[in-house]
Amino acid sequence: MKECMWCNEEAAEHMTKTGYWELHDGTRALQIDEIPAVCCSSCGMEYHEDHVVEEIEDQLLLIDTKKLGKVVSFNELMATERFLKKNYFKFYN
């Protein structure tokens, strides 16, 4: 168990959830399965932690999204070959 960022109770657990992401160019959305998530049994909140969202956003910027199907798993997405090693447009840590 971990502390829920919404209700601050020690009732949150790590699991995976499905999420939907609109591509940066606005052409379509992807279904991403098995995204690391946190689910709280106290307040019922289910969320993706900020670092996971940032990983997905960066990856979608750095790959050829035209090669992705409508549905992809988180691990498949993160294993997709990048054009660049990192997001050089992010000027903060």
Side-chain angles (χ1 to χ4, degrees):
M1 293 284 187
K2 68 177 268 155
E3 184 177 317
C4 175
M5 69 179 276
W6 294 95
C7 70
N8 299 321
E9 294 291 326
E10 290 286 334
E13 294 183 73
H14 287 281
M15 48 184 37
T16 59
K17 290 290 185 182
T18 296
Y20 301 88
W21 251 261
E22 184 175 347
L23 297 181
H24 294 97
D25 62 6
T27 56
R28 64 188 175 115
L30 292 177
Q31 176 180 317
I32 306 173
D33 293 333
E34 302 173 12
I35 303 170
V38 177
C39 298
C40 179
S41 61
S42 180
C43 69
M45 185 60 71
E46 298 177 351
Y47 58 93
H48 303 294
E49 294 176 298
D50 291 343
H51 70 91
V52 173
V53 172
E54 190 173 316
E55 284 180 57
I56 292 171
E57 291 289 329
D58 281 350
Q59 186 71 352
L60 289 173
L61 277 173
L62 299 172
I63 64 172
D64 184 358
T65 57
K66 292 179 179 88
K67 294 181 179 179
L68 296 175
K70 292 180 181 180
V71 179
V72 65
S73 75
F74 176 78
N75 288 335
E76 290 170 337
L77 175 65
M78 300 316 287
T80 302
E81 185 178 358
R82 293 178 169 192
F83 290 128
L84 299 170
K85 290 182 183 177
K86 67 177 194 167
N87 181 355
Y88 293 99
F89 300 101
K90 185 171 29 176
F91 300 111
Y92 56 90
N93 290 341

